[in-house]
Amino acid sequence: MDSRQFTSEPSSNDAVERDFTAGDVPGLRSPGPGADRAPLMFDVIIAGCGPTGAVLAAELRLHDVRVLVLEQATEPVSFVRIVGLHIRTIELMAMRGLLERILEHGRQRPAGGFFAAITKPVPKGLDSAHTYLLGIPQPVIVRLLEEHAVRLGAQVRRGCAVAGFEQDDKGVTVELADGGQLRSRYLVGCDGGRSTVRKLLGVGFPGEPARTETLMGEMHLGAPQEEITAKVAEIHETDRSFDLRPFGAGIYRVVVPAAGVGDRVEPPTLEDFRQQLRAIAGTDFGVHSPRWLSRFGDATRLAERYRVGRVLLAGDAAHIHPPIGGQGLNLGVQDAFNLGWKLAAQVRGWAPEALLDTYQAERHPVAEDVLDNTRAQVELLSTEPGPQAVRRLLTELMDIDEVNRRLIEKITAIGIRYDFGAGPDLLGRRLRDIDVKGGRLYELLHRGRGLLLDRTGRLTVGGWSDRVDYLADPTAELDVPCVLLRPDGHVAWIGEDQQNLEDHLSRWFGEPADRFA
Ligand SMILES: Cc1cc2nc3c(=O)[nH]c(=O)nc-3n(C[C@H](O)[C@H](O)[C@H](O)COP(=O)(O)OP(=O)(O)OC[C@H]3O[C@@H](n4cnc5c(N)ncnc54)[C@H](O)[C@@H]3O)c2cc1C
């Protein structure tokens, strides 16, 4: 199949799916010969079952959307990258009833001191019920998220790579690497930094190429223990970038700069590690019997668009940056929470006109900000005199609690405020997990629906009750009369007037059931 894109004019009789607007898709064309060839088998096909794809699948299933996740790898990843879940992601896990299960597998650490690795205490007054960092192996969190999606009814097919697609006004025909074809209404590329979907879409991915690469792996060492300990201590006294630490059962985790920047298609060899260890440490520690070997770069790039017609991008497919501050997985998972309910609304037919486009409007600036803070952190870690002077200055400034807090709020993503127009500061922010009548707020969001918290007891969600829950007299902790929450926990409206509420219910949740029917 030709993997170029076919797009078309909006279909005037397609009342449910108001997807395209003129000028929305560059180079509008008529449906190609492949359009309508296969029946719609799924509502959404997701390319990639990493953390982003798994969360998106689960979020869509909360709304009964027929989801298929295609994952090119036959087995889950074997290499253990320990990632940090930051406060906002931990909150989102609590919001879907997943946190207890995840906490069992992670280690809680203080939610401070990780901006450019500048050692500082946790800032005072972080506005969350979950003020910690959760260290957890990436394969474990991915497994838990995938299990959650499957439990909710998502299908996952392993050993199945997306190799091409065509889109038309009714759906997307997805071509698999084995030559098979599938058809769905939407396709979402959650297929990582080298995203096939993004490349086939022709979406630009501007930014800075990798300047350095790092080798990381787990292996046995042949050198005597005393020699290892002494050598590691000696190198840590210098500013050489290197890490070597025991990982249990005689295995060591080795992190060392690569000799240069390659195309990273091929994994590194043990010989690459030996060579670099000799260059950095003066010995290769007798490394042998590797468990896994990998490499990563420090490229920084952001997709120009997150959506072209019926095809969308999320997670690393949309943005990449160095792992400083541990934000990539968090950012992707949060993309998926933002997109899930909106795409579900589109599929179910109740999405207001521009809802799906708010995904890019809200998430692109967030990614821009994350890319900027990682650029800043990279500079602050440089050993050059200029950046070192800036680092000393910032270290001093971070003694001011508000400066420290602002930086931690940025990395933990609890400082995000989407632009919903003029209004109180709370509008557009997420609400923390407060005590409410009969339990905790986030327990009321497990089903991924909207929620009206009404302290006046006078308002009603009326014709939107199939999409929005209601709680009267919720809590004294809320210092405003009423709050409308979106399924991702962001505050969509604050007020006390029924008509004004209904305008905002329409804005976010479409027409009331009687009109919609
Ligand atoms: C050393 C290191 C440390 C890190 N530490 C942290 C941290 O502490 N915190 C944090 O938040 N982030 C961290 N990250 C970043 C994090 O690992 C990534 O941001 C995260 O994995 C992105 O998730 P994703 O689901 O978007 O993409 P991926 O995890 O890359 O998943 C993409 C999936 O798509 C599949 N795929 C690819 N192409 C196709 C195709 N054509 N068809 C079907 N399937 C396909 C792949 O096999 C893969 O399973 C770190 C990264 C590195 C390198």
Side-chain angles (χ1 to χ4, degrees):
M1 183 197 295
D2 182 354
S3 59
R4 286 170 306 163
Q5 297 303 289
F6 290 104
T7 52
S8 77
E9 297 288 347
S11 157
S12 56
N13 60 2
D14 192 355
V16 171
E17 303 228 328
R18 295 175 298 261
D19 287 337
F20 299 100
T21 52
D24 191 23
V25 181
L28 288 175
R29 286 202 258 160
S30 302
D36 283 343
R37 197 161 29 202
L40 281 167
M41 301 163 174
F42 298 95
D43 296 317
V44 178
I45 290 180
I46 297 172
C49 196
T52 307
V55 168
L56 181 61
E59 287 297 290
L60 290 165
R61 281 305 303 153
L62 287 175
H63 302 275
D64 263 345
V65 170
R66 294 171 304 166
V67 186
L68 173 67
V69 188
L70 300 174
E71 168 54 54
Q72 73 175 7
T74 46
E75 300 291 333
V77 284
S78 57
F79 59 89
V80 181
R81 184 187 294 164
I82 306 288
V83 293
L85 297 191
H86 286 301
I87 296 174
R88 183 56 184 152
T89 306
I90 294 168
E91 289 183 343
L92 292 171
M93 297 299 125
M95 221 181 255
R96 296 297 185 258
L98 281 170
L99 187 57
E100 299 284 294
R101 202 169 308 141
I102 288 171
L103 284 180
E104 285 170 24
H105 299 272
R107 250 184 69 203
Q108 295 185 30
R109 295 175 37 205
F114 43 74
F115 186 84
I118 295 174
T119 312
K120 290 288 165 193
V122 182
K124 294 190 194 90
L126 280 180
D127 181 33
S128 175
H130 303 279
T131 51
Y132 51 85
L133 170 80
L134 189 73
I136 189 164
Q138 180 153 339
V140 173
I141 183 73
V142 173
R143 174 174 57 80
L144 294 171
L145 294 173
E146 183 180 334
E147 282 171 7
H148 171 60
V150 169
R151 224 177 5 253
L152 289 172
Q155 286 187 48
V156 180
R157 278 191 210 164
R158 292 198 159 269
C160 216
V162 170
F165 57 85
E166 288 177 358
Q167 59 171 316
D168 54 72
D169 63 347
K170 297 218 166 38
V172 187
T173 304
V174 176
E175 184 195 355
L176 308 180
D178 68 5
Q181 282 188 353
L182 295 166
R183 194 152 158 83
S184 59
R185 294 199 212 185
Y186 291 89
L187 169 67
V188 188
C190 300
D191 48 348
R194 294 162 178 273
S195 171
T196 301
V197 175
R198 186 192 65 239
K199 288 174 191 158
L200 292 172
L201 265 185
V203 166
F205 202 37
E208 300 93 64
R211 290 186 293 183
T212 61
E213 272 181 20
T214 304
L215 306 179
M216 186 162 88
E218 283 177 18
M219 56 206 78
H220 290 268
L221 307 189
Q225 185 57 55
E226 317 77 68
E227 192 184 316
I228 298 171
T229 312
K231 200 68 186 167
V232 170
E234 180 192 317
I235 303 169
H236 282 166
E237 288 298 307
T238 71
D239 59 11
R240 273 172 277 169
S241 163
F242 163 86
D243 197 33
L244 188 149
R245 60 184 69 190
F247 222 67
I251 302 260
Y252 282 77
R253 160 76 54 91
V254 177
V255 182
V256 69
V261 178
D263 65 5
R264 290 197 290 122
V265 172
E266 292 298 322
T269 63
L270 192 58
E271 192 45 44
D272 294 331
F273 277 79
R274 286 197 182 107
Q275 201 181 311
Q276 286 311 102
L277 284 169
R278 279 185 224 121
I280 301 285
T283 167
D284 64 14
F285 299 97
V287 291
H288 65 94
S289 315
R291 199 148 69 167
W292 54 264
L293 305 172
S294 77
R295 81 168 102 214
F296 60 91
D298 63 351
T300 302
R301 296 185 180 279
L302 178 59
E304 276 171 345
R305 309 179 61 177
Y306 281 15
R307 176 187 174 202
V308 179
R310 291 175 176 273
V311 184
L312 298 107
L313 300 170
D316 274 17
H319 37 68
I320 53 168
H321 55 82
I324 302 164
Q327 299 166 89
L329 182 146
N330 289 269
L331 187 60
V333 164
Q334 290 158 26
D335 283 349
F337 267 88
N338 187 288
L339 175 59
W341 68 279
K342 295 173 183 174
L343 188 52
Q346 188 77 23
V347 167
R348 306 298 299 173
W350 56 259
E353 187 74 31
L355 185 67
L356 196 51
D357 286 327
T358 65
Y359 166 57
Q360 164 162 335
E362 291 170 8
R363 296 303 299 171
H364 198 272
V366 170
E368 262 175 342
D369 198 51
V370 170
L371 264 55
D372 261 0
N373 86 49
T374 52
R375 285 185 181 105
Q377 291 186 74
V378 168
E379 292 304 317
L380 289 165
L381 287 166
S382 157
T383 51
E384 295 294 315
Q388 281 294 305
V390 178
R391 185 181 179 91
R392 284 192 293 277
L393 196 65
L394 184 67
T395 305
E396 199 181 312
L397 286 176
M398 283 174 74
D399 284 337
I400 303 169
D401 194 61
E402 207 170 324
V403 175
N404 188 17
R405 189 168 61 243
R406 177 69 71 91
L407 293 173
I408 295 302
E409 282 174 353
K410 217 178 237 313
I411 294 201
T412 58
I414 58 172
I416 291 171
R417 182 176 188 232
Y418 296 139
D419 182 6
F420 294 168
D425 183 62
L426 187 59
L427 185 68
R429 294 188 186 277
R430 103 289 181 234
L431 201 56
R432 76 189 147 85
D433 192 11
I434 52 177
D435 275 328
V436 291
K437 192 172 60 184
R440 305 282 302 172
L441 173 65
Y442 287 3
E443 289 164 5
L444 302 179
L445 294 169
H446 285 188
R447 292 196 297 161
R449 294 156 54 89
L451 176 65
L452 182 71
L453 299 176
D454 178 10
R455 288 188 68 190
T456 71
R458 286 187 284 102
L459 303 188
T460 163
V461 294
W464 289 270
S465 61
D466 57 339
R467 283 152 271 172
V468 181
D469 293 325
Y470 173 84
L471 186 68
D473 190 20
T475 171
E477 269 197 66
L478 209 57
D479 58 5
V480 289
C482 300
V483 158
L484 176 64
L485 293 179
R486 307 193 314 184
D488 60 358
H490 280 259
V491 175
W493 174 78
I494 299 168
E496 51 188 322
D497 173 70
Q498 180 67 31
Q499 184 53 53
N500 192 236
L501 167 66
E502 289 183 13
D503 292 345
H504 284 80
L505 283 165
S506 296
R507 172 180 171 188
W508 293 108
F509 297 98
E511 298 290 316
D514 50 347
R515 263 183 274 162
F516 167 57

